[in-house]
Amino acid sequence: MSDLQRSFAKAKLAGLPLEPALPAHALLAEAEHEAEETDELQPLPETDREEDATSASSASSASSTGTIGPNSKHLFARPTGSGAGKIAQNPLPWTDYFAQEYYLENTRPDETVIHHIYLTLPAAKGPLFVLHHGAGSSGLSFALFAAELRKALPNCGVLSVDARGHGETAVKTPDGQFKGEPYDLSLDLLSSDLVDAVRLLQAKLEWPQLPDIVLVGHSLGGPIVTDVALKGTLGSHVLGYAVLDVVEGSAMDALQKMNQYLATRPKNFPSLASGIEWHTRSRTLRNGTSARVSVPSLLCQKPNPAAASQEDPPWIWRTDLSATEYYWENWFTGLSKKFLEAKGGKLLILAGTDRLDKELMIGQMQGKYQLQVFPDAGHFIQEDQPAKTAMVVVDFYRRNDRSALVLPPKVGDIMKKKP
């Protein structure tokens, strides 16, 4: 541009009005935009470039299945701050989840069983969910599940038992001495114990008849409730039964490695809090609140005569699972066949479809039972996913609720009404 042209342009521009100043919010937005542009121009370190390339590749692969993968750069970083890593490990009381507990005494010729149960009574015409835990566990493994049942179905009742050798259920000899391990944990005896607990409760509360019942069993509790349903010892009051994360095939396979697993568990804990922490950190239980309710019932203090001080003995396992090995095959043999043949509605909830054996796969394809899978849960489904498990069980009850059926009138009654 020549000097003459430059002078002419300056004269024209001088005659134009000044540009109004930008408002504050516009200036802020412009500054942020400039900062973003500046950030984009900054070279990335080599490590970040490699991580971003890997993330982009993973995101591209994941997007084909409609899944967005998380940024792995800080996925496993520990939280920082004054509260970092601090998770409550103090025990929670059972009274937050059940209304009452009972000790029901049952005298037999060779023993006296004192059944310990947790109970919330049903309202008028409400069903009773009878819950049985797995080996080494207790009735409190259903604590959060029981509360969720009541939320979904407010008029229902919940009965959760402690099996013999578990929780606070005790067995006495004819001379009044408490029995210790090894206990008789045969399937027939455990299923009889469950029926006895229900009948004893009925007598204590003076129920003229039992309410409608849905049996729910987790792990070892699955074969027990299935056996009760198959034998029909509770009569027509049983609407159906639900089995949580146990099938014959996978259970028999798992027994081969059970002793190896038990050897990896701590023998004792210095406190209840450390026992709770182990269950959550080892991912045995994936719900910290449930662990705070159920774990204390799995442990007990027994003084060690060889210890120098008896003031604060360690907490040990209440049930020695290795001592129950004799009964392991007895619990699960024939379970699939019994499950399919017993009367009543059938519900199977698993943590993965890989647990299904051939007999159950065929039965499922034939529509003989309802199958629900929770892939995000561990073995303790009712503890890891209490709300989801309760909702499925409540829906199962509603589908099998006979009181909701509306039957057409009989032909004889119609004929009588005709003039």
Side-chain angles (χ1 to χ4, degrees):
M1 180 183 293
S2 65
D3 292 340
L4 180 62
Q5 290 173 325
R6 189 177 291 106
S7 299
F8 178 77
K10 286 182 178 179
K12 284 288 185 181
L13 291 172
L16 295 175
L18 294 175
E19 182 179 0
L22 288 172
H25 68 272
L27 289 172
L28 180 61
E30 185 176 0
E32 290 175 346
H33 178 66
E34 290 176 356
E36 291 171 357
E37 289 182 342
T38 304
D39 288 342
E40 291 173 0
L41 296 175
Q42 294 297 323
L44 289 172
E46 290 299 318
T47 55
D48 286 346
R49 287 178 181 176
E50 293 172 0
E51 288 176 2
D52 285 354
T54 304
S55 299
S57 175
S58 300
S60 174
S61 175
S63 65
S64 65
T65 60
T67 305
I68 300 176
N71 185 349
S72 61
K73 185 174 182 180
H74 302 292
L75 184 61
F76 300 105
R78 292 183 178 273
T80 58
S82 59
K86 293 183 179 179
I87 302 174
Q89 307 289 358
N90 56 301
L92 295 176
W94 65 264
T95 50
D96 290 348
Y97 305 95
F98 297 96
Q100 305 167 69
E101 66 174 347
Y102 283 106
Y103 293 88
L104 306 172
E105 189 170 308
N106 182 33
T107 301
R108 294 173 175 167
D110 58 339
E111 64 182 10
T112 297
V113 185
I114 304 172
H115 298 281
H116 179 245
I117 66 169
Y118 299 95
L119 177 68
T120 299
L121 288 171
K125 297 184 179 180
L128 180 66
F129 291 90
V130 178
L131 318 177
H132 200 295
H133 60 80
S137 194
S138 81
L140 289 180
S141 65
F142 287 100
L144 270 66
F145 171 75
E148 294 295 339
L149 280 178
R150 295 277 296 176
K151 288 180 185 178
L153 194 64
N155 69 331
C156 77
V158 184
L159 165 63
S160 188
V161 304
D162 284 343
R164 62 172 61 208
H166 297 71
E168 296 186 30
T169 290
V171 183
K172 289 183 178 181
T173 60
D175 59 358
Q177 299 296 316
F178 284 101
K179 280 186 178 180
E181 293 175 319
Y183 295 97
D184 183 350
L185 297 178
S186 61
L187 181 60
D188 284 342
L189 190 56
L190 291 174
S191 63
S192 295
D193 281 348
L194 180 59
V195 174
D196 288 344
V198 175
R199 293 296 187 185
L200 288 167
L201 178 66
Q202 179 186 5
K204 184 174 184 63
L205 299 180
E206 299 180 346
W207 286 344
Q209 64 178 18
L210 290 172
D212 288 337
I213 290 175
V214 175
L215 301 170
V216 181
H218 169 252
S219 196
L220 166 60
I224 293 172
V225 300
T226 301
D227 192 63
V228 171
L230 183 68
K231 292 176 178 176
T233 44
L234 289 175
S236 60
H237 301 287
V238 176
L239 300 180
Y241 49 98
V243 171
L244 309 185
D245 206 46
V246 60
V247 297
E248 181 180 353
S250 59
M252 298 299 286
D253 291 341
L255 293 180
Q256 308 304 319
K257 299 180 180 179
M258 181 58 69
N259 280 316
Q260 180 181 349
Y261 162 73
L262 294 177
T264 65
R265 297 198 309 175
K267 301 298 182 185
N268 56 64
F269 302 95
S271 65
L272 284 178
S274 63
I276 295 170
E277 182 182 13
W278 178 83
H279 279 81
T280 53
R281 293 190 64 176
S282 66
R283 302 284 285 170
T284 302
L285 297 178
R286 304 181 184 186
N287 185 320
T289 302
S290 187
R292 293 166 65 191
V293 185
S294 64
V295 171
S297 65
L298 312 183
L299 307 173
C300 65
Q301 282 183 304
K302 287 186 178 179
N304 181 3
S309 174
Q310 301 293 335
E311 291 184 1
D312 192 15
W315 293 83
I316 64 173
W317 298 104
R318 188 180 295 272
T319 305
D320 182 4
L321 283 178
S322 60
T324 68
E325 183 177 4
Y326 176 80
Y327 301 100
W328 290 352
E329 290 192 11
N330 167 256
W331 291 342
F332 303 109
T333 301
L335 173 59
S336 296
K337 183 178 180 181
K338 292 178 182 179
F339 177 77
L340 294 173
E341 291 181 354
K343 293 182 180 179
K346 304 166 181 60
L347 170 63
L348 179 61
I349 304 180
L350 300 176
T353 54
D354 58 315
R355 289 162 165 80
L356 283 177
D357 54 30
K358 180 179 179 181
E359 197 164 1
L360 287 178
M361 289 181 68
I362 295 173
Q364 203 276 328
M365 289 187 288
Q366 293 174 341
K368 291 185 177 180
Y369 66 94
Q370 177 187 344
L371 174 65
Q372 184 72 43
V373 179
F374 292 158
D376 295 333
H379 176 55
F380 291 86
I381 291 178
Q382 79 280 12
E383 296 201 57
D384 296 344
Q385 301 280 350
K388 290 182 179 179
T389 308
M391 188 58 65
V392 170
V393 172
V394 168
D395 289 343
F396 170 72
Y397 156 72
R398 287 175 173 151
R399 280 194 295 273
N400 291 277
D401 180 15
R402 290 190 290 261
S403 66
L405 295 176
V406 179
L407 299 176
K410 296 180 179 179
V411 176
D413 293 339
I414 297 176
M415 297 301 294
K416 290 178 182 178
K417 292 180 180 179
K418 286 187 176 182

